[in-house]
mmCIF file of all heavy atoms in Angstrom:
data_model
loop_
_atom_site.group_PDB
_atom_site.id
_atom_site.type_symbol
_atom_site.label_atom_id
_atom_site.label_comp_id
_atom_site.label_asym_id
_atom_site.label_seq_id
_atom_site.Cartn_x
_atom_site.Cartn_y
_atom_site.Cartn_z
ATOM 1 N N ILE A 467 -19.069 2.623 13.528
ATOM 2 C CA ILE A 467 -19.971 3.766 13.655
ATOM 3 C C ILE A 467 -20.183 4.467 12.315
ATOM 4 O O ILE A 467 -21.017 5.374 12.228
ATOM 5 C CB ILE A 467 -19.442 4.788 14.689
ATOM 6 C CG1 ILE A 467 -18.058 5.321 14.269
ATOM 7 C CG2 ILE A 467 -19.393 4.178 16.074
ATOM 8 C CD1 ILE A 467 -17.536 6.429 15.158
ATOM 9 N N LEU A 468 -19.424 4.065 11.310
ATOM 10 C CA LEU A 468 -19.559 4.698 10.004
ATOM 11 C C LEU A 468 -20.664 4.028 9.184
ATOM 12 O O LEU A 468 -21.012 2.872 9.422
ATOM 13 C CB LEU A 468 -18.230 4.617 9.248
ATOM 14 C CG LEU A 468 -17.053 5.352 9.902
ATOM 15 C CD1 LEU A 468 -15.796 5.176 9.061
ATOM 16 C CD2 LEU A 468 -17.366 6.821 10.100
ATOM 17 N N PRO A 469 -21.208 4.746 8.206
ATOM 18 C CA PRO A 469 -22.243 4.154 7.348
ATOM 19 C C PRO A 469 -21.704 2.969 6.566
ATOM 20 O O PRO A 469 -20.481 2.784 6.447
ATOM 21 C CB PRO A 469 -22.609 5.309 6.405
ATOM 22 C CG PRO A 469 -22.125 6.541 7.072
ATOM 23 C CD PRO A 469 -20.934 6.151 7.871
ATOM 24 N N PRO A 470 -22.590 2.164 5.994
ATOM 25 C CA PRO A 470 -22.138 1.028 5.177
ATOM 26 C C PRO A 470 -21.297 1.513 3.993
ATOM 27 O O PRO A 470 -21.497 2.605 3.464
ATOM 28 C CB PRO A 470 -23.442 0.385 4.696
ATOM 29 C CG PRO A 470 -24.491 0.863 5.639
ATOM 30 C CD PRO A 470 -24.058 2.215 6.102
ATOM 31 N N THR A 471 -20.359 0.664 3.592
ATOM 32 C CA THR A 471 -19.493 0.992 2.461
ATOM 33 C C THR A 471 -20.199 0.691 1.147
ATOM 34 O O THR A 471 -20.837 -0.354 1.000
ATOM 35 C CB THR A 471 -18.198 0.157 2.537
ATOM 36 O OG1 THR A 471 -17.595 0.353 3.811
ATOM 37 C CG2 THR A 471 -17.222 0.569 1.446
ATOM 38 N N LEU A 472 -20.068 1.597 0.204
ATOM 39 C CA LEU A 472 -20.565 1.313 -1.132
ATOM 40 C C LEU A 472 -19.640 0.301 -1.798
ATOM 41 O O LEU A 472 -18.412 0.468 -1.766
ATOM 42 C CB LEU A 472 -20.615 2.588 -1.984
ATOM 43 C CG LEU A 472 -21.874 3.459 -1.864
ATOM 44 C CD1 LEU A 472 -21.990 4.067 -0.478
ATOM 45 C CD2 LEU A 472 -21.862 4.548 -2.931
ATOM 46 N N PRO A 473 -20.153 -0.772 -2.377
ATOM 47 C CA PRO A 473 -19.270 -1.761 -3.017
ATOM 48 C C PRO A 473 -18.497 -1.126 -4.161
ATOM 49 O O PRO A 473 -18.999 -0.248 -4.877
ATOM 50 C CB PRO A 473 -20.248 -2.827 -3.518
ATOM 51 C CG PRO A 473 -21.586 -2.162 -3.555
ATOM 52 C CD PRO A 473 -21.578 -1.104 -2.514
ATOM 53 N N TRP A 474 -17.232 -1.577 -4.326
ATOM 54 C CA TRP A 474 -16.401 -1.000 -5.388
ATOM 55 C C TRP A 474 -15.364 -2.010 -5.864
ATOM 56 O O TRP A 474 -14.741 -2.707 -5.056
ATOM 57 C CB TRP A 474 -15.676 0.249 -4.899
ATOM 58 C CG TRP A 474 -14.754 0.827 -5.943
ATOM 59 C CD1 TRP A 474 -15.090 1.659 -6.962
ATOM 60 C CD2 TRP A 474 -13.340 0.604 -6.068
ATOM 61 N NE1 TRP A 474 -13.994 1.978 -7.721
ATOM 62 C CE2 TRP A 474 -12.895 1.332 -7.197
ATOM 63 C CE3 TRP A 474 -12.403 -0.161 -5.356
ATOM 64 C CZ2 TRP A 474 -11.570 1.341 -7.619
ATOM 65 C CZ3 TRP A 474 -11.079 -0.153 -5.767
ATOM 66 C CH2 TRP A 474 -10.669 0.591 -6.890
ATOM 67 N N HIS A 475 -15.179 -2.055 -7.181
ATOM 68 C CA HIS A 475 -14.040 -2.717 -7.811
ATOM 69 C C HIS A 475 -13.704 -1.898 -9.048
ATOM 70 O O HIS A 475 -14.587 -1.369 -9.728
ATOM 71 C CB HIS A 475 -14.367 -4.161 -8.200
ATOM 72 C CG HIS A 475 -14.467 -5.089 -7.035
ATOM 73 N ND1 HIS A 475 -13.369 -5.489 -6.312
ATOM 74 C CD2 HIS A 475 -15.544 -5.681 -6.459
ATOM 75 C CE1 HIS A 475 -13.765 -6.289 -5.340
ATOM 76 N NE2 HIS A 475 -15.080 -6.428 -5.400
ATOM 77 N N GLY A 476 -12.394 -1.816 -9.347
ATOM 78 C CA GLY A 476 -11.994 -1.028 -10.500
ATOM 79 C C GLY A 476 -10.721 -1.547 -11.121
ATOM 80 O O GLY A 476 -9.960 -2.319 -10.504
ATOM 81 N N ALA A 477 -10.472 -1.097 -12.335
ATOM 82 C CA ALA A 477 -9.267 -1.522 -13.046
ATOM 83 C C ALA A 477 -7.996 -1.097 -12.325
ATOM 84 O O ALA A 477 -6.944 -1.721 -12.489
ATOM 85 C CB ALA A 477 -9.284 -0.945 -14.469
ATOM 86 N N SER A 478 -8.074 -0.051 -11.501
ATOM 87 C CA SER A 478 -6.873 0.417 -10.791
ATOM 88 C C SER A 478 -6.369 -0.608 -9.782
ATOM 89 O O SER A 478 -5.221 -0.503 -9.312
ATOM 90 C CB SER A 478 -7.150 1.746 -10.094
ATOM 91 O OG SER A 478 -8.164 1.603 -9.118
ATOM 92 N N GLU A 479 -7.173 -1.589 -9.439
ATOM 93 C CA GLU A 479 -6.706 -2.623 -8.508
ATOM 94 C C GLU A 479 -5.515 -3.389 -9.073
ATOM 95 O O GLU A 479 -4.740 -3.990 -8.320
ATOM 96 C CB GLU A 479 -7.861 -3.570 -8.180
ATOM 97 C CG GLU A 479 -8.963 -2.906 -7.354
ATOM 98 C CD GLU A 479 -10.164 -3.806 -7.144
ATOM 99 O OE1 GLU A 479 -10.863 -4.106 -8.139
ATOM 100 O OE2 GLU A 479 -10.404 -4.209 -5.985
ATOM 101 N N LYS A 480 -5.357 -3.369 -10.387
ATOM 102 C CA LYS A 480 -4.212 -4.044 -11.008
ATOM 103 C C LYS A 480 -2.893 -3.343 -10.687
ATOM 104 O O LYS A 480 -1.814 -3.897 -10.940
ATOM 105 C CB LYS A 480 -4.403 -4.114 -12.517
ATOM 106 C CG LYS A 480 -5.610 -4.951 -12.953
ATOM 107 C CD LYS A 480 -5.782 -4.926 -14.465
ATOM 108 C CE LYS A 480 -7.001 -5.725 -14.902
ATOM 109 N NZ LYS A 480 -7.225 -5.651 -16.367
ATOM 110 N N LEU A 481 -2.964 -2.135 -10.154
ATOM 111 C CA LEU A 481 -1.754 -1.392 -9.799
ATOM 112 C C LEU A 481 -1.078 -1.941 -8.546
ATOM 113 O O LEU A 481 0.094 -1.644 -8.291
ATOM 114 C CB LEU A 481 -2.095 0.088 -9.573
ATOM 115 C CG LEU A 481 -2.644 0.854 -10.780
ATOM 116 C CD1 LEU A 481 -3.179 2.209 -10.339
ATOM 117 C CD2 LEU A 481 -1.562 1.020 -11.844
ATOM 118 N N ILE A 482 -1.795 -2.717 -7.758
ATOM 119 C CA ILE A 482 -1.238 -3.222 -6.502
ATOM 120 C C ILE A 482 -0.165 -4.272 -6.801
ATOM 121 O O ILE A 482 -0.365 -5.185 -7.599
ATOM 122 C CB ILE A 482 -2.350 -3.830 -5.636
ATOM 123 C CG1 ILE A 482 -3.407 -2.760 -5.324
ATOM 124 C CG2 ILE A 482 -1.785 -4.409 -4.340
ATOM 125 C CD1 ILE A 482 -4.644 -3.308 -4.626
ATOM 126 N N ALA A 483 0.969 -4.131 -6.147
ATOM 127 C CA ALA A 483 2.083 -5.050 -6.375
ATOM 128 C C ALA A 483 1.761 -6.446 -5.860
ATOM 129 O O ALA A 483 1.010 -6.619 -4.886
ATOM 130 C CB ALA A 483 3.344 -4.518 -5.690
ATOM 131 N N LYS A 484 2.336 -7.437 -6.522
ATOM 132 C CA LYS A 484 2.204 -8.816 -6.051
ATOM 133 C C LYS A 484 3.012 -8.982 -4.772
ATOM 134 O O LYS A 484 4.033 -8.332 -4.567
ATOM 135 C CB LYS A 484 2.685 -9.784 -7.126
ATOM 136 C CG LYS A 484 1.812 -9.809 -8.370
ATOM 137 C CD LYS A 484 2.348 -10.808 -9.381
ATOM 138 C CE LYS A 484 1.379 -10.980 -10.555
ATOM 139 N NZ LYS A 484 1.089 -9.722 -11.244
ATOM 140 N N PRO A 485 2.587 -9.894 -3.887
ATOM 141 C CA PRO A 485 3.325 -10.102 -2.637
ATOM 142 C C PRO A 485 4.794 -10.454 -2.850
ATOM 143 O O PRO A 485 5.628 -10.169 -1.987
ATOM 144 C CB PRO A 485 2.562 -11.261 -1.977
ATOM 145 C CG PRO A 485 1.187 -11.186 -2.549
ATOM 146 C CD PRO A 485 1.356 -10.716 -3.966
ATOM 147 N N SER A 486 5.124 -11.050 -4.001
ATOM 148 C CA SER A 486 6.505 -11.440 -4.268
ATOM 149 C C SER A 486 7.365 -10.292 -4.776
ATOM 150 O O SER A 486 8.587 -10.443 -4.903
ATOM 151 C CB SER A 486 6.516 -12.564 -5.309
ATOM 152 O OG SER A 486 5.894 -12.126 -6.518
ATOM 153 N N ASP A 487 6.760 -9.141 -5.070
ATOM 154 C CA ASP A 487 7.512 -7.998 -5.609
ATOM 155 C C ASP A 487 8.467 -7.478 -4.546
ATOM 156 O O ASP A 487 8.058 -7.096 -3.445
ATOM 157 C CB ASP A 487 6.532 -6.890 -6.015
ATOM 158 C CG ASP A 487 7.203 -5.770 -6.800
ATOM 159 O OD1 ASP A 487 8.397 -5.505 -6.581
ATOM 160 O OD2 ASP A 487 6.515 -5.145 -7.641
ATOM 161 N N PRO A 488 9.773 -7.452 -4.828
ATOM 162 C CA PRO A 488 10.723 -6.960 -3.821
ATOM 163 C C PRO A 488 10.509 -5.481 -3.473
ATOM 164 O O PRO A 488 11.007 -5.021 -2.444
ATOM 165 C CB PRO A 488 12.087 -7.184 -4.482
ATOM 166 C CG PRO A 488 11.807 -7.245 -5.943
ATOM 167 C CD PRO A 488 10.460 -7.861 -6.083
ATOM 168 N N TRP A 489 9.788 -4.751 -4.334
ATOM 169 C CA TRP A 489 9.549 -3.326 -4.081
ATOM 170 C C TRP A 489 8.099 -3.052 -3.680
ATOM 171 O O TRP A 489 7.612 -1.927 -3.813
ATOM 172 C CB TRP A 489 9.945 -2.502 -5.298
ATOM 173 C CG TRP A 489 11.431 -2.400 -5.421
ATOM 174 C CD1 TRP A 489 12.247 -3.088 -6.264
ATOM 175 C CD2 TRP A 489 12.279 -1.585 -4.623
ATOM 176 N NE1 TRP A 489 13.562 -2.761 -6.058
ATOM 177 C CE2 TRP A 489 13.607 -1.829 -5.040
ATOM 178 C CE3 TRP A 489 12.071 -0.686 -3.586
ATOM 179 C CZ2 TRP A 489 14.708 -1.200 -4.479
ATOM 180 C CZ3 TRP A 489 13.157 -0.042 -3.020
ATOM 181 C CH2 TRP A 489 14.452 -0.313 -3.463
ATOM 182 N N ILE A 490 7.436 -4.050 -3.159
ATOM 183 C CA ILE A 490 6.099 -3.822 -2.631
ATOM 184 C C ILE A 490 6.190 -2.803 -1.492
ATOM 185 O O ILE A 490 7.133 -2.811 -0.700
ATOM 186 C CB ILE A 490 5.472 -5.148 -2.143
ATOM 187 C CG1 ILE A 490 3.990 -4.957 -1.819
ATOM 188 C CG2 ILE A 490 6.238 -5.737 -0.960
ATOM 189 C CD1 ILE A 490 3.246 -6.260 -1.567
ATOM 190 N N THR A 491 5.258 -1.875 -1.438
ATOM 191 C CA THR A 491 5.322 -0.834 -0.419
ATOM 192 C C THR A 491 4.797 -1.352 0.915
ATOM 193 O O THR A 491 4.041 -2.333 0.961
ATOM 194 C CB THR A 491 4.492 0.392 -0.837
ATOM 195 O OG1 THR A 491 3.113 0.027 -0.877
ATOM 196 C CG2 THR A 491 4.922 0.927 -2.195
ATOM 197 N N PRO A 492 5.178 -0.714 2.021
ATOM 198 C CA PRO A 492 4.664 -1.152 3.324
ATOM 199 C C PRO A 492 3.140 -1.164 3.385
ATOM 200 O O PRO A 492 2.544 -2.045 4.005
ATOM 201 C CB PRO A 492 5.252 -0.129 4.303
ATOM 202 C CG PRO A 492 6.510 0.340 3.632
ATOM 203 C CD PRO A 492 6.197 0.352 2.160
ATOM 204 N N SER A 493 2.485 -0.190 2.759
ATOM 205 C CA SER A 493 1.028 -0.171 2.788
ATOM 206 C C SER A 493 0.434 -1.328 1.986
ATOM 207 O O SER A 493 -0.557 -1.942 2.403
ATOM 208 C CB SER A 493 0.494 1.160 2.249
ATOM 209 O OG SER A 493 -0.905 1.232 2.358
ATOM 210 N N GLU A 494 1.034 -1.645 0.843
ATOM 211 C CA GLU A 494 0.541 -2.774 0.046
ATOM 212 C C GLU A 494 0.671 -4.086 0.792
ATOM 213 O O GLU A 494 -0.132 -5.009 0.603
ATOM 214 C CB GLU A 494 1.292 -2.846 -1.282
ATOM 215 C CG GLU A 494 0.914 -1.738 -2.268
ATOM 216 C CD GLU A 494 1.823 -1.729 -3.483
ATOM 217 O OE1 GLU A 494 3.063 -1.623 -3.295
ATOM 218 O OE2 GLU A 494 1.306 -1.840 -4.609
ATOM 219 N N LEU A 495 1.674 -4.205 1.662
ATOM 220 C CA LEU A 495 1.832 -5.412 2.471
ATOM 221 C C LEU A 495 0.614 -5.660 3.358
ATOM 222 O O LEU A 495 0.341 -6.792 3.744
ATOM 223 C CB LEU A 495 3.090 -5.301 3.343
ATOM 224 C CG LEU A 495 4.431 -5.572 2.657
ATOM 225 C CD1 LEU A 495 5.574 -5.209 3.591
ATOM 226 C CD2 LEU A 495 4.522 -7.037 2.237
ATOM 227 N N THR A 496 -0.114 -4.600 3.680
ATOM 228 C CA THR A 496 -1.302 -4.726 4.526
ATOM 229 C C THR A 496 -2.587 -4.722 3.711
ATOM 230 O O THR A 496 -3.673 -4.596 4.282
ATOM 231 C CB THR A 496 -1.358 -3.578 5.547
ATOM 232 O OG1 THR A 496 -1.692 -2.358 4.864
ATOM 233 C CG2 THR A 496 -0.047 -3.402 6.273
ATOM 234 N N GLY A 497 -2.468 -4.846 2.391
ATOM 235 C CA GLY A 497 -3.656 -4.773 1.556
ATOM 236 C C GLY A 497 -4.187 -3.361 1.427
ATOM 237 O O GLY A 497 -5.382 -3.161 1.194
ATOM 238 N N LEU A 498 -3.303 -2.361 1.561
ATOM 239 C CA LEU A 498 -3.686 -0.944 1.532
ATOM 240 C C LEU A 498 -4.746 -0.636 2.588
ATOM 241 O O LEU A 498 -5.729 0.055 2.343
ATOM 242 C CB LEU A 498 -4.179 -0.519 0.144
ATOM 243 C CG LEU A 498 -3.142 -0.579 -0.992
ATOM 244 C CD1 LEU A 498 -3.772 -0.153 -2.314
ATOM 245 C CD2 LEU A 498 -1.923 0.295 -0.679
ATOM 246 N N THR A 499 -4.478 -1.143 3.788
ATOM 247 C CA THR A 499 -5.344 -0.816 4.917
ATOM 248 C C THR A 499 -4.613 0.006 5.968
ATOM 249 O O THR A 499 -5.248 0.642 6.812
ATOM 250 C CB THR A 499 -5.884 -2.082 5.596
ATOM 251 O OG1 THR A 499 -4.779 -2.867 6.083
ATOM 252 C CG2 THR A 499 -6.713 -2.912 4.619
ATOM 253 N N ALA A 500 -3.276 -0.025 5.941
ATOM 254 C CA ALA A 500 -2.474 0.718 6.909
ATOM 255 C C ALA A 500 -1.431 1.541 6.167
ATOM 256 O O ALA A 500 -1.165 1.328 4.982
ATOM 257 C CB ALA A 500 -1.797 -0.236 7.891
ATOM 258 N N SER A 501 -0.829 2.473 6.900
ATOM 259 C CA SER A 501 0.198 3.341 6.326
ATOM 260 C C SER A 501 1.412 3.336 7.246
ATOM 261 O O SER A 501 1.265 3.392 8.473
ATOM 262 C CB SER A 501 -0.348 4.772 6.180
ATOM 263 O OG SER A 501 0.555 5.591 5.481
ATOM 264 N N PRO A 502 2.618 3.254 6.702
ATOM 265 C CA PRO A 502 3.811 3.136 7.553
ATOM 266 C C PRO A 502 4.093 4.414 8.328
ATOM 267 O O PRO A 502 3.722 5.516 7.909
ATOM 268 C CB PRO A 502 4.926 2.840 6.550
ATOM 269 C CG PRO A 502 4.448 3.428 5.266
ATOM 270 C CD PRO A 502 2.969 3.225 5.268
ATOM 271 N N ASN A 503 4.777 4.247 9.461
ATOM 272 C CA ASN A 503 5.173 5.414 10.231
ATOM 273 C C ASN A 503 6.328 6.142 9.544
ATOM 274 O O ASN A 503 6.804 5.738 8.483
ATOM 275 C CB ASN A 503 5.535 5.013 11.669
ATOM 276 C CG ASN A 503 6.718 4.067 11.745
ATOM 277 O OD1 ASN A 503 7.524 3.949 10.812
ATOM 278 N ND2 ASN A 503 6.836 3.354 12.855
ATOM 279 N N TYR A 504 6.787 7.232 10.154
ATOM 280 C CA TYR A 504 7.820 8.066 9.533
ATOM 281 C C TYR A 504 9.106 7.290 9.282
ATOM 282 O O TYR A 504 9.693 7.349 8.197
ATOM 283 C CB TYR A 504 8.087 9.279 10.428
ATOM 284 C CG TYR A 504 9.210 10.181 9.954
ATOM 285 C CD1 TYR A 504 8.979 11.190 9.032
ATOM 286 C CD2 TYR A 504 10.506 10.022 10.451
ATOM 287 C CE1 TYR A 504 10.006 12.025 8.610
ATOM 288 C CE2 TYR A 504 11.536 10.847 10.034
ATOM 289 C CZ TYR A 504 11.284 11.842 9.110
ATOM 290 O OH TYR A 504 12.310 12.666 8.700
ATOM 291 N N ALA A 505 9.564 6.546 10.292
ATOM 292 C CA ALA A 505 10.835 5.827 10.159
ATOM 293 C C ALA A 505 10.768 4.783 9.049
ATOM 294 O O ALA A 505 11.697 4.653 8.240
ATOM 295 C CB ALA A 505 11.207 5.171 11.487
ATOM 296 N N ASP A 506 9.669 4.025 8.991
ATOM 297 C CA ASP A 506 9.555 2.995 7.960
ATOM 298 C C ASP A 506 9.380 3.603 6.575
ATOM 299 O O ASP A 506 9.893 3.081 5.582
ATOM 300 C CB ASP A 506 8.375 2.068 8.278
ATOM 301 C CG ASP A 506 8.630 1.205 9.509
ATOM 302 O OD1 ASP A 506 9.802 1.080 9.901
ATOM 303 O OD2 ASP A 506 7.657 0.676 10.077
ATOM 304 N N THR A 507 8.646 4.712 6.496
ATOM 305 C CA THR A 507 8.509 5.414 5.218
ATOM 306 C C THR A 507 9.867 5.891 4.726
ATOM 307 O O THR A 507 10.236 5.699 3.563
ATOM 308 C CB THR A 507 7.563 6.619 5.373
ATOM 309 O OG1 THR A 507 6.278 6.175 5.813
ATOM 310 C CG2 THR A 507 7.414 7.372 4.062
ATOM 311 N N ARG A 508 10.620 6.509 5.604
ATOM 312 C CA ARG A 508 11.928 7.029 5.217
ATOM 313 C C ARG A 508 12.877 5.906 4.805
ATOM 314 O O ARG A 508 13.601 6.040 3.807
ATOM 315 C CB ARG A 508 12.528 7.836 6.370
ATOM 316 C CG ARG A 508 13.878 8.450 6.030
ATOM 317 C CD ARG A 508 14.330 9.459 7.054
ATOM 318 N NE ARG A 508 15.504 10.189 6.574
ATOM 319 C CZ ARG A 508 15.972 11.300 7.127
ATOM 320 N NH1 ARG A 508 15.359 11.819 8.194
ATOM 321 N NH2 ARG A 508 17.026 11.909 6.623
ATOM 322 N N ALA A 509 12.862 4.823 5.559
ATOM 323 C CA ALA A 509 13.757 3.709 5.231
ATOM 324 C C ALA A 509 13.448 3.144 3.848
ATOM 325 O O ALA A 509 14.369 2.860 3.053
ATOM 326 C CB ALA A 509 13.636 2.622 6.292
ATOM 327 N N TRP A 510 12.177 2.987 3.527
ATOM 328 C CA TRP A 510 11.795 2.453 2.203
ATOM 329 C C TRP A 510 12.210 3.420 1.103
ATOM 330 O O TRP A 510 12.754 3.003 0.066
ATOM 331 C CB TRP A 510 10.289 2.210 2.179
ATOM 332 C CG TRP A 510 9.810 1.434 0.980
ATOM 333 C CD1 TRP A 510 9.681 0.079 0.887
ATOM 334 C CD2 TRP A 510 9.406 1.963 -0.289
ATOM 335 N NE1 TRP A 510 9.222 -0.268 -0.364
ATOM 336 C CE2 TRP A 510 9.044 0.873 -1.106
ATOM 337 C CE3 TRP A 510 9.323 3.252 -0.803
ATOM 338 C CZ2 TRP A 510 8.597 1.041 -2.415
ATOM 339 C CZ3 TRP A 510 8.874 3.420 -2.107
ATOM 340 C CH2 TRP A 510 8.524 2.320 -2.901
ATOM 341 N N LEU A 511 12.005 4.710 1.321
ATOM 342 C CA LEU A 511 12.354 5.699 0.303
ATOM 343 C C LEU A 511 13.873 5.817 0.137
ATOM 344 O O LEU A 511 14.374 6.051 -0.965
ATOM 345 C CB LEU A 511 11.744 7.051 0.662
ATOM 346 C CG LEU A 511 10.213 7.134 0.541
ATOM 347 C CD1 LEU A 511 9.702 8.435 1.148
ATOM 348 C CD2 LEU A 511 9.780 7.006 -0.919
ATOM 349 N N GLU A 512 14.609 5.668 1.218
ATOM 350 C CA GLU A 512 16.082 5.703 1.110
ATOM 351 C C GLU A 512 16.592 4.539 0.262
ATOM 352 O O GLU A 512 17.518 4.699 -0.544
ATOM 353 C CB GLU A 512 16.700 5.667 2.510
ATOM 354 C CG GLU A 512 16.597 6.999 3.242
ATOM 355 C CD GLU A 512 17.082 6.921 4.673
ATOM 356 O OE1 GLU A 512 17.167 5.792 5.217
ATOM 357 O OE2 GLU A 512 17.363 7.986 5.265
ATOM 358 N N LYS A 513 15.981 3.365 0.426
ATOM 359 C CA LYS A 513 16.366 2.225 -0.411
ATOM 360 C C LYS A 513 16.024 2.484 -1.874
ATOM 361 O O LYS A 513 16.804 2.150 -2.782
ATOM 362 C CB LYS A 513 15.664 0.958 0.082
ATOM 363 C CG LYS A 513 16.151 0.459 1.433
ATOM 364 C CD LYS A 513 15.379 -0.797 1.869
ATOM 365 C CE LYS A 513 15.829 -1.276 3.239
ATOM 366 N NZ LYS A 513 15.048 -2.458 3.681
ATOM 367 N N LEU A 514 14.876 3.104 -2.110
ATOM 368 C CA LEU A 514 14.478 3.438 -3.478
ATOM 369 C C LEU A 514 15.460 4.439 -4.082
ATOM 370 O O LEU A 514 15.879 4.298 -5.246
ATOM 371 C CB LEU A 514 13.060 4.018 -3.469
ATOM 372 C CG LEU A 514 12.413 4.271 -4.827
ATOM 373 C CD1 LEU A 514 12.086 2.950 -5.517
ATOM 374 C CD2 LEU A 514 11.135 5.105 -4.661
#
């Protein structure tokens, strides 16, 4: 129901971690399309 997306690419895309990175964030695992819930966010931050 939303309008068409304006195409975009930028140098900041290089900031995304590689899939092999042991510290890839939960959101990066989804291609930055989803965000982790509270428990998963806390667990990742506790490990950090």
Side-chain angles (χ1 to χ4, degrees):
I467 60 174
L468 297 179
T471 306
L472 275 66
W474 177 83
H475 288 289
S478 62
E479 292 174 293
K480 296 177 181 177
L481 297 169
I482 300 172
K484 293 181 172 57
S486 59
D487 190 330
W489 286 102
I490 190 170
T491 66
S493 184
E494 288 172 304
L495 281 171
T496 72
L498 296 179
T499 60
S501 187
N503 62 20
Y504 176 86
D506 291 342
T507 301
R508 182 169 190 166
W510 191 91
L511 290 170
E512 284 174 341
K513 291 179 182 178
L514 187 70

